[in-house]
Amino acid sequence: MKNLLLILPIVLFACTSETPTTGSLYVNQAYELYADRVVQGEFEARAISRDSIFSNYRSPANEAFPNRIQFKFALNGKDNELPVGVNHEFMVNPIDGRAETPVIIFGEQLKAEEEPISFLPANTALRIRVDARVVMQSFADKGYYIAANGETIYKPDFKGIFVAGGAEPLNWDFDNLASRPQFQLQDPDGDGIFELEVVLNEYNPDNFTASAWKVRNDLSAYPAYESGQLLVDALYRLSLDETVLLKEADGTFRTGEKWAGVWTRDLSYSVILAMALIEPEVCKTSLRRKVKNERIVQDTGTGGSWPVSSDRVVWTLAAWEIYLVTGDRAWLEEIYPIIKNSLDDDRQFLLSPDTQLARGESSFLDWRQQTYPRWMDGVDIYLSENLGTNAVHCRSYEILSEIAAELGQPTEPYTDIASELKRGINWNLWVERAGYFGQFRYGRRHFSLSEKPEALGEALCVLYDIAFDNRKAVILENTPVMPYGIPCVYPQIPGIPPYHNDGIWPFVQAYWNWAAAREHNYAALEHGLGSIYRAAALFLTNKENMVASSGDFQGTEINSDRQLWSVAGNLAMVYRVLFGMHFEPERLVFAPVVPPSYGGKRMLTNFRYRSAILDITLEGTGHRIASVELDGEPLESAVIPGELSGAHSLHITLDGQIDGVGKINLQEGLFHPATPQASLDDRQLRWQAAEGATQYTVFGNGKPLANTTGLTFELEALDEPVELQVQAQDAQGVVSFLSEPLLVGASPRYVEFERFSRSTPTLRAAGAMEGGYVELSLEQNTTLSFEVEPPEAGEYLLQVRYANGSGPGNTFNACALRSLYLGDQFQGVWVMPQRGQDEWSNWGMSNALRVNLAAGVNQLRLQLDPFNANMNGQINRALVDRVVVY
């Protein structure tokens, strides 16, 4: 890996002079940011005034579209035709704007002829054809088809054949493919030959941004900002203008131009950044929209939402921030039971007794294939322990304890849980040799740490004092950043299009900048401010995201103008960074951080803090305060008491002295090797070659066993069961994810549920191991007793083989949940995420629960408890086939 530890030159100067309106703010190899403009090659955006910006930016996406494409077919929209990483290849050479593939036999790889790659003309029509008679015949003869990934697809569950690929409009989004009919092939004459026509390199007017922005709304109710940097002033006004456009008639914030409605995490991160400061009532109304049964709503997500997706508690941080800003005690009393109920439920499902960490999907990184290995299903993601999610849980328990203290309620066990989470994060997720936290722990029986940094989680651990003190500065210096900003994760997953993967998100950048300011890393701050201001100026809007490697808004899976949290992130650079606003229950504290290139005088007027209206003048650079005056009278510190009322002027002067500028770890774009796909053949572990890999490491029970340059590993005699995985490594030492765990040497016992139930299922399914199964719903089998009879006493792992066809694997909110009891003793909750819309013959395994069983007959009970209520409330259904006992 090529490391460029960049120390930015900073000139120390007296802080009372104005920075010239054309002065340089930040320059790197990709672009140049000035006080009034940004220049990126042939493109330029320039502030004409504080209410007007001109840009000639044009996305280059259409101009370099290669004619060599990769794609593969997908039964029911899943990656199951060819092994992972093996795709069809085709050279598209159109005649009169049209081309077609040969008829490809399903499951047999098409390889392209070796010829020079050229660029494809716009609007090229491509006809794709596949011979799927082998699949159709298997359905006719056997009633099922066994796919390349080992999945058995039963004829009643067959929904169609889709195509995925790496050339737009095709994409590799297998999670959503089945819901996109434009990518489904058809067989109108029933001969088994399916086909589809797509238009490649379609000319899109959205590739061209508007040429100018002018303020459209009355902004007089908001704080006004002026400085020596005209472009920053104009972008602040643009962000306020977009704030007005995001306000709905019902008093809530919409999520973005393309995203209607209120989303828990998007809203909450926006509230924390800036929206609580300028629109507290809209924030309150919006947060109330995400409450149901006095609990926080987890938005739709992987496996049917909560508890697989488990970051809903970021709502807590947002609600608390509103209290800190407003001092509204009635609001505090309103939110206390909501937060308490939510965290009390979470304690039943999420806290790991082994690591003191919270389980569940990465906060905001909620598109499974974008940041996880493809083998991880909803159960695997539920069991994972993620950095960002744990950061918001840790802070949420702290806040609940603080609210309880304010209201005279018990603070335990919440204070202790917060402390345990902090220790767990620092002990289990820290990568000592890298100097930052890893993104998550993952596995099944034995867990390993993915050592990739996750930008949002790193920033939150700095901001909320979760990282041990000596680690905060180290995180900011060592976490990789790229020329256009900080990527969500690093390095990137190969074959996955940009979004979270190979993506930069301005709101994440804003949190990173806030953390950099908190730790006085000026190199990181100047780089980060440049990232936000470059994109907003060139695109003339606060986009949702951009491609990390190119800085372009075109090419990510989904993108939207005026995304709420991007808008909030832009505003936060003024409120949270330059003016350093920090709200506490009884006061507002200013801790400004002004990079030297941003020197001069800046004013924030008409800023409303509770009953006070403040006109704030800030002069100088750095972070050390030389003097503070309130209404011309000196203050000992830059603190405004919460009881202050009326109009006042605050003047803060910084001394311009900086001890050190800090440094950043500037990196080029990097992809790690593909995750190996391993299998067992008798006592030999086999895997396919990963492109770019030079060696492989075989792991047993989460520990390295052997290194090899080959593609096989011979197993020795086993004294006990072992879970095997393979990891690929390239010549630079960059490693892949670990492969799917393969359990060897176990001798499980099985208990068939249908032996213990006389009810008749209403759902029809194939593939049950002994032919029978039991249906669980809000009406059927709410209590199901069964017996397990081990030969000797000891600790056992119990899993359920189940099916949940209530929704797709990546969205909706009907994850099935049931408690397990041994006698009257609660043992835990079996989590059974959705596996595919109406795919009731798609069987998988639940999480495993550790249970101490006696020798002989043990009476167990599967039960629907009140805290098993999922986010849907009306659908909590699964088919259960058997208990597997290890």
Side-chain angles (χ1 to χ4, degrees):
M1 185 183 298
K2 185 178 179 182
N3 293 289
L4 301 172
L5 290 177
L6 182 66
I7 300 179
L8 299 180
I10 293 185
V11 179
L12 305 183
F13 52 84
C15 57
T16 56
S17 61
E18 291 281 352
T19 300
T21 57
T22 58
S24 174
L25 301 181
Y26 177 74
V27 176
N28 69 17
Q29 66 268 41
Y31 66 92
E32 302 165 17
L33 178 66
Y34 298 93
D36 66 336
R37 67 194 187 281
V38 60
V39 179
Q40 181 180 316
E42 64 182 299
F43 304 122
E44 178 177 304
R46 182 183 294 270
I48 308 304
S49 70
R50 288 182 172 85
D51 288 336
S52 178
I53 308 173
F54 162 83
S55 174
N56 67 351
Y57 184 80
R58 186 179 71 183
S59 170
N62 279 106
E63 299 172 4
F65 197 108
N67 70 332
R68 186 187 185 96
I69 67 169
Q70 293 192 4
F71 60 94
K72 67 197 316 180
F73 303 107
L75 301 178
N76 291 350
K78 298 181 180 180
D79 188 1
N80 52 20
E81 182 207 4
L82 299 166
V84 172
V86 178
N87 306 314
H88 301 296
E89 300 173 350
F90 183 64
M91 299 295 293
V92 183
N93 295 308
I95 299 175
D96 297 328
R98 304 187 65 83
E100 64 179 37
T101 69
V103 177
I104 303 165
I105 298 175
F106 189 91
E108 296 184 13
Q109 184 188 18
L110 173 70
K111 294 186 176 181
E113 298 291 332
E114 291 295 331
E115 59 181 273
I117 296 175
S118 59
F119 296 130
L120 197 65
N123 300 318
T124 296
L126 175 66
R127 184 183 177 207
I128 301 172
R129 299 178 291 170
V130 60
D131 182 347
R133 285 177 289 185
V134 64
V135 178
M136 300 300 109
Q137 194 62 48
S138 183
F139 283 150
D141 295 343
K142 304 176 183 177
Y144 62 85
Y145 175 79
I146 299 177
N149 62 353
E151 177 186 3
T152 300
I153 301 173
Y154 290 90
K155 185 177 180 179
D157 285 353
F158 176 63
K159 305 296 190 302
I161 300 177
F162 297 77
V163 62
E168 290 189 1
L170 303 179
N171 60 70
W172 297 112
D173 179 16
F174 291 100
D175 281 339
N176 292 290
L177 191 56
S179 64
R180 294 173 176 169
Q182 66 269 34
F183 301 128
Q184 182 173 0
L185 289 82
Q186 302 294 334
D187 178 19
D189 57 8
D191 64 353
I193 309 298
F194 290 72
E195 59 184 60
L196 173 71
E197 185 171 291
V198 296
V199 178
L200 302 178
N201 198 21
E202 187 172 10
Y203 172 78
N204 187 350
D206 287 344
N207 289 356
F208 299 86
T209 61
S211 60
W213 165 80
K214 291 184 179 180
V215 69
R216 288 182 277 178
N217 295 286
D218 179 8
L219 307 180
S220 60
Y222 295 116
Y225 175 69
E226 293 187 17
S227 72
Q229 295 85 43
L230 183 63
L231 181 63
V232 176
D233 297 359
L235 291 173
Y236 173 83
R237 300 273 289 171
L238 180 151
S239 299
L240 290 179
D241 203 33
E242 295 196 322
T243 299
V244 176
L245 295 172
L246 287 166
K247 291 166 63 176
E248 300 280 46
D250 64 357
T252 64
F253 279 123
R254 68 183 289 121
T255 302
E257 183 190 47
K258 292 183 179 179
W259 297 99
V262 180
W263 293 77
T264 302
R265 75 171 62 90
D266 300 57
L267 170 69
S268 299
Y269 281 119
S270 305
V271 170
I272 299 162
L273 282 168
M275 292 308 173
L277 284 63
I278 60 172
E279 287 285 5
E281 294 305 317
V282 177
C283 292
K284 286 180 184 178
T285 302
S286 301
L287 286 173
R288 289 182 179 119
R289 190 64 57 85
K290 305 309 296 183
V291 176
K292 182 180 180 181
N293 298 326
E294 283 215 309
R295 284 160 174 81
I296 304 164
V297 172
Q298 180 78 45
D299 294 319
T300 58
T302 295
S305 187
W306 184 85
V308 179
S309 293
S310 59
D311 69 339
R312 61 176 177 164
V313 293
V314 71
W315 188 100
T316 303
L317 282 64
W320 175 244
E321 195 66 28
I322 292 173
Y323 169 69
L324 295 178
V325 171
T326 64
D328 184 349
R329 190 172 178 84
W331 173 250
L332 195 68
E333 293 171 348
E334 178 183 342
I335 66 176
Y336 172 68
I338 298 168
I339 296 168
K340 183 180 184 300
N341 293 340
S342 302
L343 286 174
D344 284 347
D345 285 353
D346 283 352
R347 289 163 55 202
Q348 300 280 1
F349 287 87
L350 301 180
L351 297 181
S352 166
D354 298 325
T355 61
Q356 289 77 51
L357 292 174
R359 300 183 178 109
E361 194 166 39
S362 293
S363 183
F364 131 80
L365 302 175
D366 61 339
W367 193 330
R368 180 175 55 178
Q369 67 170 10
Q370 285 281 328
T371 46
Y372 291 92
R374 288 183 177 176
W375 58 263
M376 290 181 70
D377 63 13
V379 172
D380 297 314
I381 291 175
Y382 161 71
L383 291 171
S384 65
E385 298 162 350
N386 294 272
L387 177 63
T389 299
N390 272 276
V392 296
H393 275 271
C394 180
R395 183 62 186 134
S396 293
Y397 282 105
E398 288 179 342
I399 289 170
L400 179 55
S401 178
E402 292 179 57
I403 296 174
E406 288 265 340
L407 299 179
Q409 299 294 324
T411 61
E412 296 301 342
Y414 310 113
T415 304
D416 286 345
I417 294 173
S419 297
E420 290 172 358
L421 281 165
K422 180 175 180 177
R423 285 194 296 269
I425 291 168
N426 281 279
W427 290 348
N428 294 289
L429 300 181
W430 182 252
V431 185
E432 182 64 36
R433 61 179 178 80
Y436 46 70
F437 292 107
Q439 67 177 143
F440 51 67
R441 281 169 39 87
Y442 66 120
R444 287 185 179 153
R445 287 189 168 200
H446 302 274
F447 283 68
S448 301
L449 177 62
S450 171
E451 296 187 354
K452 296 164 62 169
E454 184 248 290
L456 179 60
E458 312 286 344
L460 295 176
C461 286
V462 172
L463 281 171
Y464 294 125
D465 296 320
I466 295 168
F468 291 158
D469 286 343
N470 61 333
R471 291 177 172 176
K472 296 173 188 173
V474 174
I475 290 169
L476 291 158
E477 292 176 353
N478 288 287
T479 302
V481 299
M482 294 172 66
Y484 292 106
I486 187 165
C488 296
V489 293
Y490 189 93
Q492 313 305 324
I493 305 174
I496 300 297
Y499 188 62
H500 297 139
N501 189 62
D502 195 20
I504 293 169
W505 289 60
F507 98 91
V508 175
Q509 185 72 64
Y511 276 97
W512 182 256
N513 295 356
W514 191 0
R518 182 73 63 85
E519 292 300 306
H520 307 144
N521 186 324
Y522 289 90
L525 180 54
E526 287 193 337
H527 171 267
L529 289 171
S531 174
I532 286 178
Y533 292 146
R534 177 205 72 91
L538 287 174
F539 307 155
L540 295 175
T541 185
N542 289 288
K543 284 282 190 182
E544 181 179 3
N545 51 56
M546 68 192 90
V547 179
S549 53
S550 68
D552 189 18
F553 66 85
Q554 193 76 9
T556 66
E557 288 283 73
I558 304 171
N559 211 340
S560 175
D561 290 355
R562 56 174 179 273
Q563 193 74 6
L564 179 64
W565 50 17
S566 301
V567 172
N570 202 319
L571 294 170
M573 297 306 94
V574 171
Y575 305 142
R576 299 296 196 177
V577 172
L578 297 175
F579 283 87
M581 293 184 185
H582 172 70
F583 295 85
E584 298 178 2
E586 303 298 334
R587 62 183 191 167
L588 165 58
V589 179
F590 290 87
V593 181
V594 180
S597 59
Y598 286 75
K601 180 187 292 187
R602 62 199 70 249
M603 297 182 65
L604 188 67
T605 57
N606 191 37
F607 182 82
R608 297 177 181 272
Y609 171 58
R610 300 187 181 178
S611 298
I613 301 174
L614 303 177
D615 290 344
I616 310 160
T617 300
L618 175 63
E619 294 192 74
T621 59
H623 59 273
R624 291 199 179 101
I625 295 176
S627 64
V628 187
E629 294 179 355
L630 181 65
D631 300 328
E633 297 295 325
L635 295 179
E636 291 185 2
S637 58
V639 174
I640 299 297
E643 66 269 16
L644 188 70
S645 62
H648 298 274
S649 62
L650 180 69
H651 194 288
I652 304 173
T653 302
L654 303 175
D655 70 5
Q657 300 300 309
I658 298 174
D659 296 330
V661 301
K663 60 185 179 181
I664 60 175
N665 182 9
L666 187 64
Q667 293 283 341
E668 300 171 350
L670 184 69
F671 289 79
H672 60 68
T675 305
Q677 188 172 355
S679 61
L680 282 167
D681 183 5
D682 193 17
R683 302 195 64 80
Q684 187 179 71
L685 182 67
R686 299 173 176 267
W687 57 91
Q688 293 183 326
E691 184 176 353
T694 57
Q695 72 169 29
Y696 302 88
T697 302
V698 177
F699 285 72
N701 293 343
K703 306 290 185 183
L705 291 180
N707 293 322
T708 178
T709 57
L711 300 176
T712 61
F713 177 73
E714 300 294 333
L715 299 179
E716 299 177 357
L718 299 175
D719 296 326
E720 59 183 21
V722 62
E723 199 172 54
L724 296 173
Q725 293 173 283
V726 182
Q727 184 177 64
Q729 179 176 310
D730 68 15
Q732 296 175 282
V734 181
V735 297
S736 71
F737 288 123
L738 289 165
S739 66
E740 182 173 9
L742 298 173
L743 183 61
V744 184
S747 300
R749 294 173 176 269
Y750 305 104
V751 178
E752 303 298 327
F753 272 120
E754 63 268 22
R755 289 174 44 205
F756 301 93
S757 174
R758 295 183 179 181
S759 65
T760 302
T762 64
L763 295 165
R764 293 290 172 260
M769 299 307 294
E770 298 294 332
Y773 52 86
V774 174
E775 182 175 343
L776 307 179
S777 70
L778 297 180
E779 296 79 27
Q780 285 188 283
N781 297 301
T782 56
T783 298
L784 179 61
S785 297
F786 61 97
E787 297 175 352
V788 173
E789 189 173 354
E792 59 186 46
E795 183 181 80
Y796 291 83
L797 292 176
L798 275 63
Q799 286 179 285
V800 175
R801 187 172 188 262
Y802 81 97
N804 182 349
S806 298
N810 66 307
T811 187
F812 200 50
N813 58 6
C815 181
L817 307 168
R818 293 297 185 276
S819 297
L820 176 67
Y821 289 84
L822 174 61
D824 292 328
Q825 297 297 311
F826 174 73
Q827 303 297 309
V829 179
W830 271 324
V831 177
M832 296 170 279
Q834 299 162 188
R835 295 183 58 82
Q837 183 66 53
D838 298 323
E839 294 183 24
W840 292 103
S841 300
N842 183 345
W843 299 92
M845 298 301 296
S846 75
N847 57 311
L849 295 176
R850 289 192 181 97
V851 181
N852 285 303
L853 299 175
V857 176
N858 292 258
Q859 300 290 336
L860 292 102
R861 184 174 73 258
L862 188 154
Q863 180 170 302
L864 178 66
D865 282 328
F867 61 83
N868 294 159
N870 60 18
M871 289 296 109
N872 185 282
Q874 303 300 314
I875 302 172
N876 194 334
R877 182 165 59 177
L879 305 181
V880 289
D881 177 18
R882 56 170 38 170
V883 179
V884 183
V885 183
Y886 293 100

